[in-house]
Amino acid sequence: MFSYPLSVFNLFIFLTLQLSRLAHAQSPDKDTTSIQSAGGATGAAPLPTSASQEVTQISGTTTTFRPIFTVPTEAGTGKPVLPNINDPNATDAQTVCPGYTATNVKRTDYGLTASLNLAGSACNVYGTDIETLNLTVEYQSADRLAVRVVPAYIDASNSSHHILPTTLVHQPTIDADAKSSILTNDLSFTWSNDPTFSFSVYRQSTGDTLFSTQGTKLVFENQFIEFASTLPEEYNLYGLGETIHGLRLGNNFTKTIYAADIGDPIDYNIYGSHPFYLDTRYYQVDSSTGNLTLVTSNDTNATAEYIAYSHGVYNRNAHGQEILLRPTNITWRMLGGSIDLYFYAGPTQPKVTTAFQTSTIGLPALQQYFTFGYHQCRWGYANWSVLQEVVDNYERFGIPLENIWYRDFDNDALRFNYSAGESFLSNLHASGRHYIPIIDSAIYVPNPENASDAYPTFNRGNDTNSFMTNPDGSTYIGEVWPGYTVFPDWLGSSAGPWWTNEMVTWHNKVAFDGAWIDMSNPVHPPFFLPGEPGAVIYDYPEGFNLTNATEAAAAASASSSQVAAASTAGASSTMPNYVRTTPTPGVRNVNYPPYVINNVQGDLANHAVSPNATHGGVGGIEEYDVHNLFGFQILNATYNALLAAIPGKRPFIIGRSTFAGAGKWAGHWGGDNTSLWAYMFFSIPQALSFSLFGIPMFGVDTCGFNGNTDEELCNRWMQLSAFFPFYRNHNTLTADPQEAYVWASVAEATRTAMSIRFNLLPYMYTLFYLAHNTGSTVMRALAWEFPNDPSLAAADRQFFLGPAILVTPVLDQGATSVDGVFPGTTRDGEVYYDWYTLAPQSNTTGNVTIEAPLGHIPVYLRGGYVIPTQEPAMTTRDARKNPWGLIAALSSEDAASGELYVDDGESVVQNATLFVTQEVITDAKEQFTASNNALHATARGSYNDTNPLANVTVLGVQNPVTSVTLNGADVASQGVKYNESSKALLVTGLNGLTTGGAWKEDWVLRWS
């Protein structure tokens, strides 16, 4: 597609022309198209129609093609805007606006309603003040309180400005049993008109104020809403995504929510929009009186007794917004919409998360079993043969590979033709592997004056009015990887069916197994690609100069020259002339709103569809009001499309841009991170945050996407990501290769970590089953498992996988050990066992230094849990055929329990015939208990798993064992081994005693 030969870079088509066109110029359809400028102004613009030809060599074949029209770099630069929080001349709305007064307050069966009227003259500081508002307060359930403030007068002219339709984003309502259940609600709402309207939410059991706007004014304008609440000192807030940041948000941070096309900058808004936070407060318990004292310091007493209370807050608003976290308060500023708050009483993180998911955003999707295998991707794979070589290399190096990733909606006839692809995919599927294409939402606009450039996907969408428009009704034309593009209008009635049709049509040609939805903000990226002059990749991880001094010096020199050249070419000494908008009464300026949020791209239209682009044609909904929902809606559309394209199987989708509730359709990857140690660390708090957002299927581009990785970083990162639900290696065009087999040490480290991962796949799949059914989390912060330990409030360098696996990775360059904590050992008697030695961890007090040479990731089993395992294989398909095992890690009280969920691993609905005839869910859910020197396994359900039980390992057995029986039958003595040093009992050779399947009958394993 480019104007230079395709040879060196092995171009991965995920970032070539969006729909596999080799560089086509276009001319306008005079009746339907116009081009939108970055600033949002609309005007007719002719598209280039050059008929010149260029020549290149592809796989030895001389090919002619038309050069692609490249939008100038400056077209991707918006007008300069200065964020309000950085503007010394910005007006503080709290000092000039009058606030509101509540009148006509009426009690209802579930709360109250009131009118809010301006308490003085309108300030119109960042828009037009809304004179009258409606307040609705509802106790909706035993643990949920809703507070809504909306304009009193809503009609077709302003509905989309303020009301988020329930057809787009679910709105919680009063539970059916609320009349009785709300009597036990621990939350209490109060309000005051002194001096203007404010409200507070209290926890009745503690008397603690959870949220209070007292002392601040409510500001509600047509393009600016502000409300604030006090917070205690050194508060612990988590969530408010999506941002690359530590798990605990801190008290000096401005969180912007506006879906952006950007490569993972630290502390700025990126792809997702999740206006939810968890607030955890610790109290010291007076041992004599039981009185509670709120902890307002990070310094705690190791011998004191503490208790924690957590609650959640969700603001159901999809507009661009900022949340200002300051030492004593939180301030919410929104560019539109309404105040639609929900408070979740908790009082623990699991209860908050469960309530948030079950009542508000939906439960996360249950993924297919194969999705927990390893995924390999690269921007730069040149053709089917290169993909096959990658697959073969993983096989040759003995590294499990489950999925290979690529393309979208159409295939390059020269490099990725359908016939060769059919052969490749047939072999891939026969080996138990899968193929995941990347699909961008921007659809190529063909040249109407060139018949050979016809693109049926565009034509069918255009004929059904499936694309976004300009305010005048003409088609909105943008530019993404194919060149000129259009964007689906998900709010219209035709885009969904059109998308489904295209997915089904394409699947008939290419048997893909899921979808990677990228560039879904929607976006206008610059055509400046890695490897081009001025964009050569010279970056390496921190400490690379210590291990590769000569190469690092050469790269640093070349990088300096490149930066200097770019600085000279683009140098300017003039100060930017910032755009400042003065509000016009009754009129919205959606392209340059008067209040400027701290958007990473500045101008709202920069790298994005213009805010005045329209959904639903002339007079429809403006992009300004729904920008943050585009990625959310395409995930919904893709979910439905995959149900049609691959009937009966659970859709597997990984999306870039998400909104609250996206987890019920898709997983998420962390975006375009960088090959730096810092980003490996940030992957942990990012994953934990998405646990709170109800998207447990999370992973990052392992070893880093941007920049070059190195052996040490990739070694550590491949091991860390093995304990994330979504496990994928992916990097950018022209960067150094980083497949797991590139370095011998990385290959060995990967095999080690993958062996553990495959052993744990039944455990991980069970965790997802529980998350899908109950709203529990998969990756867990230490503070969530041990909520009464304030020293863990900011812990985000370790994590639990479920309740039973503690992972303590090395996150620093050059380190051969890592400091970690073993929560609960001092106060609660918790026991942890080393995964590798099976021995209990002896030193567990405070921060413990753990030896971790390169290639070793410390992993521990938590006492009190039984973990189901299966022997590893090269694919999950083959692993599911292997015998079962159990690891019972005894607690200090010699007890352990666990669960296992088994089904066919792929069906949306399990075998209907079995379900009907048996009248039970067609699955098997196993419960294990270990006590009194016996391990009981009891099954229910009708799924028939015929794999035998191979072994049982019991950790923490204090006395030697000489005899073991299974349902009364003696286990051969050679199958019983007791390790006096590690206190581990290993029982093998159980296959012959469970030939019909490990769970065909209930059983008891006894030892003495």
Side-chain angles (χ1 to χ4, degrees), residues 510-572:
V510 180
F512 53 83
D513 301 290
W516 175 14
I517 302 299
D518 190 22
M519 306 296 286
S520 54
N521 300 74
V523 305
H524 289 306
F527 279 85
F528 199 53
L529 300 174
E532 290 184 344
V536 178
I537 298 173
Y538 295 115
D539 299 326
Y540 285 90
E542 310 94 319
F544 183 72
N545 60 309
L546 301 177
T547 56
N548 299 268
T550 301
E551 187 175 355
S557 176
S559 178
S560 297
S561 298
Q562 181 170 265
V563 170
S567 300
T568 301
S572 173

Side-chain angles (χ1 to χ4, degrees), residues 17-81:
L17 290 184
Q18 152 80 26
L19 299 172
S20 73
R21 297 300 182 210
L22 271 180
H24 297 293
Q26 308 122 43
S27 66
D29 178 334
K30 296 179 178 62
D31 296 325
T32 61
T33 61
S34 64
I35 192 164
Q36 195 84 8
S37 72
T42 303
L47 308 185
T49 58
S50 168
S52 64
Q53 299 288 311
E54 295 193 12
V55 178
T56 190
Q57 293 285 325
I58 299 180
S59 300
T61 302
T62 301
T63 305
T64 60
F65 64 96
R66 178 175 294 124
I68 190 170
F69 171 73
T70 301
V71 177
T73 301
E74 58 269 20
T77 303
K79 295 182 180 180
V81 294

Side-chain angles (χ1 to χ4, degrees), residues 117-377:
N117 302 291
L118 275 178
S121 300
C123 60
N124 298 328
V125 61
Y126 295 115
T128 302
D129 283 21
I130 308 297
E131 292 188 4
T132 305
L133 308 170
N134 287 337
L135 167 69
T136 302
V137 178
E138 291 176 343
Y139 293 89
Q140 295 186 333
S141 71
D143 59 0
R144 187 175 69 257
L145 170 69
V147 178
R148 301 192 190 108
V149 180
V150 302
Y153 305 104
I154 295 290
D155 57 24
S157 67
N158 69 348
S159 177
S160 66
H161 304 175
H162 299 289
I163 304 300
L164 181 56
T166 57
T167 54
L168 295 182
V169 177
H170 176 70
Q171 184 177 51
T173 56
I174 297 170
D175 284 5
D177 64 349
K179 279 195 175 181
S180 59
S181 66
I182 63 175
L183 298 177
T184 61
N185 196 312
D186 198 24
L187 302 178
S188 178
F189 176 92
T190 63
W191 66 275
S192 171
N193 273 338
D194 184 17
T196 61
F197 172 76
S198 64
F199 72 89
S200 299
V201 176
Y202 294 89
R203 185 183 296 281
Q204 296 187 74
S205 59
T206 64
D208 190 21
T209 302
L210 306 186
F211 197 95
S212 178
T213 65
Q214 191 170 8
T216 67
K217 298 173 184 175
L218 170 63
V219 182
F220 204 120
E221 300 178 337
N222 65 346
Q223 284 196 269
F224 180 74
I225 300 171
E226 179 177 276
F227 61 96
S229 170
T230 55
L231 286 173
E233 295 178 41
E234 301 297 340
Y235 51 81
N236 305 297
L237 259 59
Y238 313 88
L240 297 177
E242 180 182 11
T243 302
I244 305 300
H245 191 80
L247 180 62
R248 185 168 69 171
L249 296 176
N251 60 12
N252 186 25
F253 177 48
T254 297
K255 174 69 192 82
T256 303
I257 295 180
Y258 193 78
D261 172 40
I262 191 71
D264 282 14
I266 295 171
D267 287 351
Y268 280 94
N269 56 303
I270 49 176
Y271 320 106
S273 303
H274 296 273
F276 166 88
Y277 69 78
L278 175 77
D279 184 339
T280 297
R281 303 183 183 185
Y282 295 94
Y283 300 82
Q284 186 169 344
V285 181
D286 188 307
S287 58
S288 58
T289 66
N291 292 338
L292 304 180
T293 302
L294 181 66
V295 176
T296 58
S297 169
N298 289 322
D299 297 325
T300 56
N301 186 339
T303 62
E305 180 183 355
Y306 297 93
I307 188 171
Y309 287 84
S310 293
H311 67 275
V313 179
Y314 171 55
N315 184 25
R316 184 179 168 273
N317 184 296
H319 278 76
Q321 55 195 275
E322 284 178 346
I323 302 96
L324 284 67
L325 300 175
R326 299 298 183 261
T328 60
N329 62 74
I330 178 172
T331 300
W332 229 295
R333 294 173 178 171
M334 304 173 290
L335 298 184
S338 60
I339 299 173
D340 196 2
L341 289 168
Y342 298 86
F343 298 88
Y344 306 87
T348 64
Q349 172 274 323
K351 288 187 177 181
V352 170
T353 303
T354 294
F356 181 45
Q357 294 182 30
T358 55
S359 71
T360 308
I361 62 172
L363 292 162
L366 179 58
Q367 302 292 334
Q368 292 191 58
Y369 203 93
F370 84 81
T371 65
F372 299 108
Y374 174 68
H375 304 251
Q376 179 61 53
C377 186

Side-chain angles (χ1 to χ4, degrees), residues 680-986:
M680 181 169 65
F681 153 68
F682 279 122
S683 69
I684 299 174
Q686 193 179 11
L688 295 173
S689 295
F690 273 86
S691 292
L692 295 178
F693 303 149
I695 306 180
M697 191 60 172
F698 178 89
V700 298
D701 286 346
T702 302
C703 300
F705 175 75
N706 287 308
N708 298 301
T709 193
D710 67 5
E711 181 177 2
E712 184 185 1
L713 175 61
C714 202
N715 186 306
R716 294 297 193 186
W717 210 333
M718 284 296 293
Q719 291 205 313
L720 169 60
S721 287
F723 298 91
F724 281 47
F726 178 52
Y727 184 18
R728 187 182 72 171
N729 181 314
H730 175 50
N731 70 323
T732 190
L733 181 69
T734 77
D736 292 346
Q738 62 184 43
E739 289 83 2
Y741 50 74
V742 170
W743 299 277
S745 76
V746 176
E748 182 59 31
T750 301
R751 285 188 290 265
T752 298
M754 280 196 187
S755 177
I756 302 174
R757 179 184 180 89
F758 267 76
N759 267 285
L760 292 175
L761 283 182
Y763 171 72
M764 186 180 292
Y765 190 67
T766 300
L767 291 175
F768 266 79
Y769 169 78
L770 295 172
H772 174 67
N773 283 276
T774 69
S776 60
T777 53
V778 177
M779 287 182 67
R780 304 179 182 180
L782 274 59
W784 305 345
E785 284 296 300
F786 295 89
N788 298 327
D789 184 350
S791 71
L792 301 176
D796 54 9
R797 297 176 68 89
Q798 298 172 265
F799 61 92
F800 280 98
L801 182 62
I805 300 295
L806 175 64
V807 182
T808 307
V810 173
L811 301 171
D812 299 307
Q813 191 276 329
T816 57
S817 64
V818 58
D819 288 345
V821 296
F822 293 89
T825 53
T826 301
R827 183 176 300 279
D828 303 322
E830 293 284 341
V831 180
Y832 294 87
Y833 300 90
D834 188 298
W835 174 274
Y836 306 93
T837 68
L838 305 182
Q841 175 69 19
S842 57
N843 180 11
T844 60
T845 303
N847 264 325
V848 179
T849 299
I850 305 164
E851 293 303 313
L854 192 63
H856 177 76
I857 180 169
V859 179
Y860 297 89
L861 300 100
R862 181 179 170 192
Y865 293 91
V866 178
I867 298 174
T869 65
Q870 270 183 302
E871 296 173 13
M874 292 298 287
T875 65
T876 61
R877 180 198 66 182
D878 294 342
R880 281 173 59 89
K881 300 175 183 178
N882 284 339
W884 292 95
L886 293 175
I887 302 175
L890 299 182
S891 69
S892 58
E893 298 177 348
D894 293 333
S897 63
E899 296 174 309
L900 167 66
Y901 172 76
V902 182
D903 64 11
D904 68 8
E906 62 181 18
S907 298
V908 175
V909 178
Q910 294 302 302
N911 190 302
T913 302
L914 289 174
F915 175 80
V916 172
T917 57
Q918 299 297 321
E919 297 185 359
V920 296
I921 299 175
T922 55
D923 62 74
K925 185 178 179 182
E926 312 295 336
Q927 291 189 332
F928 312 105
T929 59
S931 60
N932 299 320
N933 293 343
L935 175 61
H936 300 252
T938 305
R940 60 183 184 273
S942 57
Y943 182 82
N944 184 26
D945 183 284
T946 59
N947 299 316
L949 178 68
N951 56 76
V952 172
T953 301
V954 186
L955 308 182
V957 178
Q958 298 304 312
N959 299 309
V961 173
T962 57
S963 174
V964 177
T965 62
L966 183 69
N967 274 358
D970 290 334
V971 176
S973 59
Q974 62 266 32
V976 179
K977 295 182 179 179
Y978 176 75
N979 188 307
E980 182 70 38
S981 175
S982 65
K983 304 297 183 184
L985 169 65
L986 176 60

